Structure formats: structure tokens, C-alpha cells
Amino acid sequence: MEFEYLHTERLLLRKSTIVEYNYVFNHYTNNELKAFFGITLDHELEKEKEKFYGGYVTYNRSFLFFHLIDKNTQVNMGGCGFHNWFAEHARSEIGYALLHNDYKQKGFMTEALKPIIQYGFEKMSLNRIEALVSPNNTASIKLIEKSGFSKEGYLREHYTNKGTKEDSVLYGLLKKEYYNTI
């Protein structure tokens, strides 16, 4: 299977949709899946399989994800992309994560976010991108604000993390705002 890539100075951003996920889950061995997702532990692979077989896509919702591949080492460092993508409404939520602390605080996610946001507006025809961030996640808040998102609201007890109800701060970026800042 041929993957589409976006390129930055230090990263290859490997595009993955349900098409690519269907292929890898049906053709890759467990070790190849671990390498694809940048994970090493069996329980991490089982979690990815649960998400895939549980249904990433519904009749009105989809995803588009980019794996962050280090150009020098070819290691999958994490991911960034669009989930809860409602094509009918031209909006999606963006999410991102680095897999290991060794990759954090080095600007990788800042580097990846710019072309991914641009891809969302230009290729996916999004009008709005949302980010939901823990109010305690200072690094994520800085990243989102630096990327042009505006704080729009506070969602109380919005999600569950290890059995505890936690809040989210809602950020939004509109297409017209994005193009006014570049």
C-alpha cells in the first residue's frame, strides 16, 4: 500500500484514513502493526485493535490521522489528526500526542500542526477545527493558542480519565481566521 505523506523539516507525516487502517489491520502482523503505530507493548496494540474493531467511522463521522515519523530514524513518534470529523458540517476536532517523553519539548508537534491544520482547511474542506484541552495541560494550551485557536468555552466534567470526571477547555479555529493570520 502506498501512503500519502506531508513533509516538514524534520518529519514525515503519514496520512491514515479508514482505508489505510483497513489495509494494515488485515495485512500486517502484530509486530508490523506495533511498528506502524510506534508502540512496543502488547496491551498498547490491543487498545489500537479495540478502537479499530469498535468502529472509527460511522455513517456521519470519520477521521483522518497523521503519524509523525522522524525523517532521520524512521521512528513513529506519535500522531496528530482529525477525529469526530463531521464532513456534512465542515468541522472536526483535532487531537495529538507524542508517544514518549523523549520527543516532548522539542517543537515536533508545533512543526506538525501547521501543515495538518492547512490540510484540514484546504483538502478536507473544513470551516472549523476544534480542540478540547484539559485546563491543567499547560503545554497543550500553549500549542493550541500559538497555532491561532481561540478559547471559546469551558466544558465541565466533559470526559473520564482513569475513572475521574475531568473538565475540558474548548478552543476553535475558523478557516477565515486561519487565512487572516498566515
Side-chain angles (χ1 to χ4, degrees), residues 121 127-129 148 152 172-179:
F121 288 132
N127 179 60
R128 175 182 173 80
I129 300 173
E152 295 182 345
L173 178 62
L174 300 177
K175 186 178 202 172
K176 63 185 174 188
E177 295 167 341
Y178 173 77
Y179 285 109

mmCIF file with all atom_site columns, all heavy atoms in Angstrom, residues 121 127-129 148 152 172-179:
data_model
loop_
_atom_site.group_PDB
_atom_site.id
_atom_site.type_symbol
_atom_site.label_atom_id
_atom_site.label_alt_id
_atom_site.label_comp_id
_atom_site.label_asym_id
_atom_site.label_entity_id
_atom_site.label_seq_id
_atom_site.pdbx_PDB_ins_code
_atom_site.Cartn_x
_atom_site.Cartn_y
_atom_site.Cartn_z
_atom_site.occupancy
_atom_site.B_iso_or_equiv
_atom_site.pdbx_formal_charge
_atom_site.auth_seq_id
_atom_site.auth_comp_id
_atom_site.auth_asym_id
_atom_site.auth_atom_id
_atom_site.pdbx_PDB_model_num
ATOM 1   N N   . PHE A 1 121 ? -8.139  22.526 6.307  1.00 0.00 ? 121 PHE A N   1
ATOM 2   C CA  . PHE A 1 121 ? -8.899  23.587 5.639  1.00 0.00 ? 121 PHE A CA  1
ATOM 3   C C   . PHE A 1 121 ? -8.889  23.426 4.117  1.00 0.00 ? 121 PHE A C   1
ATOM 4   O O   . PHE A 1 121 ? -9.920  23.612 3.468  1.00 0.00 ? 121 PHE A O   1
ATOM 5   C CB  . PHE A 1 121 ? -8.369  24.958 6.032  1.00 0.00 ? 121 PHE A CB  1
ATOM 6   C CG  . PHE A 1 121 ? -8.704  25.361 7.444  1.00 0.00 ? 121 PHE A CG  1
ATOM 7   C CD1 . PHE A 1 121 ? -7.730  25.872 8.282  1.00 0.00 ? 121 PHE A CD1 1
ATOM 8   C CD2 . PHE A 1 121 ? -9.990  25.230 7.940  1.00 0.00 ? 121 PHE A CD2 1
ATOM 9   C CE1 . PHE A 1 121 ? -8.038  26.250 9.587  1.00 0.00 ? 121 PHE A CE1 1
ATOM 10  C CE2 . PHE A 1 121 ? -10.313 25.590 9.234  1.00 0.00 ? 121 PHE A CE2 1
ATOM 11  C CZ  . PHE A 1 121 ? -9.326  26.109 10.064 1.00 0.00 ? 121 PHE A CZ  1
ATOM 12  N N   . ASN A 1 127 ? -14.370 24.092 7.711  1.00 0.00 ? 127 ASN A N   1
ATOM 13  C CA  . ASN A 1 127 ? -14.574 25.501 8.021  1.00 0.00 ? 127 ASN A CA  1
ATOM 14  C C   . ASN A 1 127 ? -14.169 25.779 9.461  1.00 0.00 ? 127 ASN A C   1
ATOM 15  O O   . ASN A 1 127 ? -13.826 26.903 9.799  1.00 0.00 ? 127 ASN A O   1
ATOM 16  C CB  . ASN A 1 127 ? -16.040 25.903 7.827  1.00 0.00 ? 127 ASN A CB  1
ATOM 17  C CG  . ASN A 1 127 ? -16.270 27.354 8.159  1.00 0.00 ? 127 ASN A CG  1
ATOM 18  O OD1 . ASN A 1 127 ? -15.682 28.231 7.539  1.00 0.00 ? 127 ASN A OD1 1
ATOM 19  N ND2 . ASN A 1 127 ? -17.085 27.621 9.160  1.00 0.00 ? 127 ASN A ND2 1
ATOM 20  N N   . ARG A 1 128 ? -14.202 24.738 10.296 1.00 0.00 ? 128 ARG A N   1
ATOM 21  C CA  . ARG A 1 128 ? -13.947 24.902 11.724 1.00 0.00 ? 128 ARG A CA  1
ATOM 22  C C   . ARG A 1 128 ? -13.168 23.704 12.248 1.00 0.00 ? 128 ARG A C   1
ATOM 23  O O   . ARG A 1 128 ? -13.485 22.560 11.942 1.00 0.00 ? 128 ARG A O   1
ATOM 24  C CB  . ARG A 1 128 ? -15.276 25.008 12.463 1.00 0.00 ? 128 ARG A CB  1
ATOM 25  C CG  . ARG A 1 128 ? -15.187 25.053 13.957 1.00 0.00 ? 128 ARG A CG  1
ATOM 26  C CD  . ARG A 1 128 ? -16.588 25.106 14.596 1.00 0.00 ? 128 ARG A CD  1
ATOM 27  N NE  . ARG A 1 128 ? -16.488 24.982 16.035 1.00 0.00 ? 128 ARG A NE  1
ATOM 28  C CZ  . ARG A 1 128 ? -16.168 25.967 16.861 1.00 0.00 ? 128 ARG A CZ  1
ATOM 29  N NH1 . ARG A 1 128 ? -15.926 27.174 16.392 1.00 0.00 ? 128 ARG A NH1 1
ATOM 30  N NH2 . ARG A 1 128 ? -16.096 25.763 18.160 1.00 0.00 ? 128 ARG A NH2 1
ATOM 31  N N   . ILE A 1 129 ? -12.145 24.001 13.042 1.00 0.00 ? 129 ILE A N   1
ATOM 32  C CA  . ILE A 1 129 ? -11.396 22.964 13.744 1.00 0.00 ? 129 ILE A CA  1
ATOM 33  C C   . ILE A 1 129 ? -11.499 23.269 15.224 1.00 0.00 ? 129 ILE A C   1
ATOM 34  O O   . ILE A 1 129 ? -11.282 24.409 15.658 1.00 0.00 ? 129 ILE A O   1
ATOM 35  C CB  . ILE A 1 129 ? -9.925  22.926 13.300 1.00 0.00 ? 129 ILE A CB  1
ATOM 36  C CG1 . ILE A 1 129 ? -9.822  22.638 11.800 1.00 0.00 ? 129 ILE A CG1 1
ATOM 37  C CG2 . ILE A 1 129 ? -9.148  21.879 14.109 1.00 0.00 ? 129 ILE A CG2 1
ATOM 38  C CD1 . ILE A 1 129 ? -8.417  22.750 11.232 1.00 0.00 ? 129 ILE A CD1 1
ATOM 39  N N   . GLY A 1 148 ? -3.117  29.603 16.706 1.00 0.00 ? 148 GLY A N   1
ATOM 40  C CA  . GLY A 1 148 ? -4.178  30.506 16.270 1.00 0.00 ? 148 GLY A CA  1
ATOM 41  C C   . GLY A 1 148 ? -5.561  30.210 16.807 1.00 0.00 ? 148 GLY A C   1
ATOM 42  O O   . GLY A 1 148 ? -6.515  30.913 16.482 1.00 0.00 ? 148 GLY A O   1
ATOM 43  N N   . GLU A 1 152 ? -13.033 29.303 23.600 1.00 0.00 ? 152 GLU A N   1
ATOM 44  C CA  . GLU A 1 152 ? -14.458 29.560 23.402 1.00 0.00 ? 152 GLU A CA  1
ATOM 45  C C   . GLU A 1 152 ? -15.324 29.168 24.587 1.00 0.00 ? 152 GLU A C   1
ATOM 46  O O   . GLU A 1 152 ? -16.424 29.658 24.724 1.00 0.00 ? 152 GLU A O   1
ATOM 47  C CB  . GLU A 1 152 ? -14.949 28.810 22.158 1.00 0.00 ? 152 GLU A CB  1
ATOM 48  C CG  . GLU A 1 152 ? -14.311 29.298 20.881 1.00 0.00 ? 152 GLU A CG  1
ATOM 49  C CD  . GLU A 1 152 ? -14.836 28.578 19.657 1.00 0.00 ? 152 GLU A CD  1
ATOM 50  O OE1 . GLU A 1 152 ? -15.482 27.511 19.794 1.00 0.00 ? 152 GLU A OE1 1
ATOM 51  O OE2 . GLU A 1 152 ? -14.601 29.078 18.546 1.00 0.00 ? 152 GLU A OE2 1
ATOM 52  N N   . GLY A 1 172 ? -11.389 26.934 19.345 1.00 0.00 ? 172 GLY A N   1
ATOM 53  C CA  . GLY A 1 172 ? -11.825 26.831 17.959 1.00 0.00 ? 172 GLY A CA  1
ATOM 54  C C   . GLY A 1 172 ? -10.972 27.677 17.040 1.00 0.00 ? 172 GLY A C   1
ATOM 55  O O   . GLY A 1 172 ? -10.404 28.695 17.448 1.00 0.00 ? 172 GLY A O   1
ATOM 56  N N   . LEU A 1 173 ? -10.875 27.225 15.800 1.00 0.00 ? 173 LEU A N   1
ATOM 57  C CA  . LEU A 1 173 ? -10.178 27.970 14.759 1.00 0.00 ? 173 LEU A CA  1
ATOM 58  C C   . LEU A 1 173 ? -11.030 27.889 13.499 1.00 0.00 ? 173 LEU A C   1
ATOM 59  O O   . LEU A 1 173 ? -11.334 26.797 13.019 1.00 0.00 ? 173 LEU A O   1
ATOM 60  C CB  . LEU A 1 173 ? -8.787  27.379 14.500 1.00 0.00 ? 173 LEU A CB  1
ATOM 61  C CG  . LEU A 1 173 ? -7.947  28.032 13.402 1.00 0.00 ? 173 LEU A CG  1
ATOM 62  C CD1 . LEU A 1 173 ? -7.646  29.501 13.723 1.00 0.00 ? 173 LEU A CD1 1
ATOM 63  C CD2 . LEU A 1 173 ? -6.649  27.252 13.191 1.00 0.00 ? 173 LEU A CD2 1
ATOM 64  N N   . LEU A 1 174 ? -11.436 29.047 12.999 1.00 0.00 ? 174 LEU A N   1
ATOM 65  C CA  . LEU A 1 174 ? -12.227 29.109 11.776 1.00 0.00 ? 174 LEU A CA  1
ATOM 66  C C   . LEU A 1 174 ? -11.303 29.306 10.577 1.00 0.00 ? 174 LEU A C   1
ATOM 67  O O   . LEU A 1 174 ? -10.244 29.931 10.685 1.00 0.00 ? 174 LEU A O   1
ATOM 68  C CB  . LEU A 1 174 ? -13.232 30.253 11.832 1.00 0.00 ? 174 LEU A CB  1
ATOM 69  C CG  . LEU A 1 174 ? -14.248 30.204 12.967 1.00 0.00 ? 174 LEU A CG  1
ATOM 70  C CD1 . LEU A 1 174 ? -15.141 31.439 12.931 1.00 0.00 ? 174 LEU A CD1 1
ATOM 71  C CD2 . LEU A 1 174 ? -15.066 28.925 12.912 1.00 0.00 ? 174 LEU A CD2 1
ATOM 72  N N   . LYS A 1 175 ? -11.749 28.811 9.439  1.00 0.00 ? 175 LYS A N   1
ATOM 73  C CA  . LYS A 1 175 ? -10.964 28.920 8.213  1.00 0.00 ? 175 LYS A CA  1
ATOM 74  C C   . LYS A 1 175 ? -10.602 30.377 7.918  1.00 0.00 ? 175 LYS A C   1
ATOM 75  O O   . LYS A 1 175 ? -9.454  30.687 7.610  1.00 0.00 ? 175 LYS A O   1
ATOM 76  C CB  . LYS A 1 175 ? -11.762 28.318 7.055  1.00 0.00 ? 175 LYS A CB  1
ATOM 77  C CG  . LYS A 1 175 ? -11.037 28.220 5.756  1.00 0.00 ? 175 LYS A CG  1
ATOM 78  C CD  . LYS A 1 175 ? -11.953 27.563 4.725  1.00 0.00 ? 175 LYS A CD  1
ATOM 79  C CE  . LYS A 1 175 ? -11.172 26.952 3.601  1.00 0.00 ? 175 LYS A CE  1
ATOM 80  N NZ  . LYS A 1 175 ? -12.034 26.162 2.716  1.00 0.00 ? 175 LYS A NZ  1
ATOM 81  N N   . LYS A 1 176 ? -11.578 31.288 8.043  1.00 0.00 ? 176 LYS A N   1
ATOM 82  C CA  . LYS A 1 176 ? -11.307 32.698 7.729  1.00 0.00 ? 176 LYS A CA  1
ATOM 83  C C   . LYS A 1 176 ? -10.296 33.299 8.696  1.00 0.00 ? 176 LYS A C   1
ATOM 84  O O   . LYS A 1 176 ? -9.499  34.148 8.317  1.00 0.00 ? 176 LYS A O   1
ATOM 85  C CB  . LYS A 1 176 ? -12.596 33.510 7.703  1.00 0.00 ? 176 LYS A CB  1
ATOM 86  C CG  . LYS A 1 176 ? -13.331 33.576 9.017  1.00 0.00 ? 176 LYS A CG  1
ATOM 87  C CD  . LYS A 1 176 ? -14.664 34.288 8.867  1.00 0.00 ? 176 LYS A CD  1
ATOM 88  C CE  . LYS A 1 176 ? -15.465 34.214 10.149 1.00 0.00 ? 176 LYS A CE  1
ATOM 89  N NZ  . LYS A 1 176 ? -16.815 34.715 9.982  1.00 0.00 ? 176 LYS A NZ  1
ATOM 90  N N   . GLU A 1 177 ? -10.289 32.849 9.945  1.00 0.00 ? 177 GLU A N   1
ATOM 91  C CA  . GLU A 1 177 ? -9.309  33.333 10.921 1.00 0.00 ? 177 GLU A CA  1
ATOM 92  C C   . GLU A 1 177 ? -7.917  32.828 10.560 1.00 0.00 ? 177 GLU A C   1
ATOM 93  O O   . GLU A 1 177 ? -6.929  33.559 10.654 1.00 0.00 ? 177 GLU A O   1
ATOM 94  C CB  . GLU A 1 177 ? -9.673  32.872 12.330 1.00 0.00 ? 177 GLU A CB  1
ATOM 95  C CG  . GLU A 1 177 ? -10.966 33.444 12.844 1.00 0.00 ? 177 GLU A CG  1
ATOM 96  C CD  . GLU A 1 177 ? -11.469 32.741 14.099 1.00 0.00 ? 177 GLU A CD  1
ATOM 97  O OE1 . GLU A 1 177 ? -11.046 31.607 14.389 1.00 0.00 ? 177 GLU A OE1 1
ATOM 98  O OE2 . GLU A 1 177 ? -12.306 33.365 14.777 1.00 0.00 ? 177 GLU A OE2 1
ATOM 99  N N   . TYR A 1 178 ? -7.850  31.559 10.151 1.00 0.00 ? 178 TYR A N   1
ATOM 100 C CA  . TYR A 1 178 ? -6.574  30.960 9.793  1.00 0.00 ? 178 TYR A CA  1
ATOM 101 C C   . TYR A 1 178 ? -5.935  31.720 8.636  1.00 0.00 ? 178 TYR A C   1
ATOM 102 O O   . TYR A 1 178 ? -4.763  32.061 8.662  1.00 0.00 ? 178 TYR A O   1
ATOM 103 C CB  . TYR A 1 178 ? -6.786  29.488 9.434  1.00 0.00 ? 178 TYR A CB  1
ATOM 104 C CG  . TYR A 1 178 ? -5.547  28.810 8.894  1.00 0.00 ? 178 TYR A CG  1
ATOM 105 C CD1 . TYR A 1 178 ? -4.532  28.429 9.752  1.00 0.00 ? 178 TYR A CD1 1
ATOM 106 C CD2 . TYR A 1 178 ? -5.398  28.565 7.531  1.00 0.00 ? 178 TYR A CD2 1
ATOM 107 C CE1 . TYR A 1 178 ? -3.386  27.815 9.279  1.00 0.00 ? 178 TYR A CE1 1
ATOM 108 C CE2 . TYR A 1 178 ? -4.262  27.945 7.047  1.00 0.00 ? 178 TYR A CE2 1
ATOM 109 C CZ  . TYR A 1 178 ? -3.262  27.573 7.917  1.00 0.00 ? 178 TYR A CZ  1
ATOM 110 O OH  . TYR A 1 178 ? -2.124  26.963 7.434  1.00 0.00 ? 178 TYR A OH  1
ATOM 111 N N   . TYR A 1 179 ? -6.726  31.993 7.607  1.00 0.00 ? 179 TYR A N   1
ATOM 112 C CA  . TYR A 1 179 ? -6.172  32.675 6.443  1.00 0.00 ? 179 TYR A CA  1
ATOM 113 C C   . TYR A 1 179 ? -5.895  34.146 6.699  1.00 0.00 ? 179 TYR A C   1
ATOM 114 O O   . TYR A 1 179 ? -5.111  34.754 5.967  1.00 0.00 ? 179 TYR A O   1
ATOM 115 C CB  . TYR A 1 179 ? -7.084  32.485 5.225  1.00 0.00 ? 179 TYR A CB  1
ATOM 116 C CG  . TYR A 1 179 ? -6.939  31.080 4.681  1.00 0.00 ? 179 TYR A CG  1
ATOM 117 C CD1 . TYR A 1 179 ? -7.950  30.144 4.822  1.00 0.00 ? 179 TYR A CD1 1
ATOM 118 C CD2 . TYR A 1 179 ? -5.750  30.676 4.083  1.00 0.00 ? 179 TYR A CD2 1
ATOM 119 C CE1 . TYR A 1 179 ? -7.790  28.853 4.352  1.00 0.00 ? 179 TYR A CE1 1
ATOM 120 C CE2 . TYR A 1 179 ? -5.588  29.387 3.615  1.00 0.00 ? 179 TYR A CE2 1
ATOM 121 C CZ  . TYR A 1 179 ? -6.601  28.478 3.747  1.00 0.00 ? 179 TYR A CZ  1
ATOM 122 O OH  . TYR A 1 179 ? -6.438  27.206 3.291  1.00 0.00 ? 179 TYR A OH  1
#
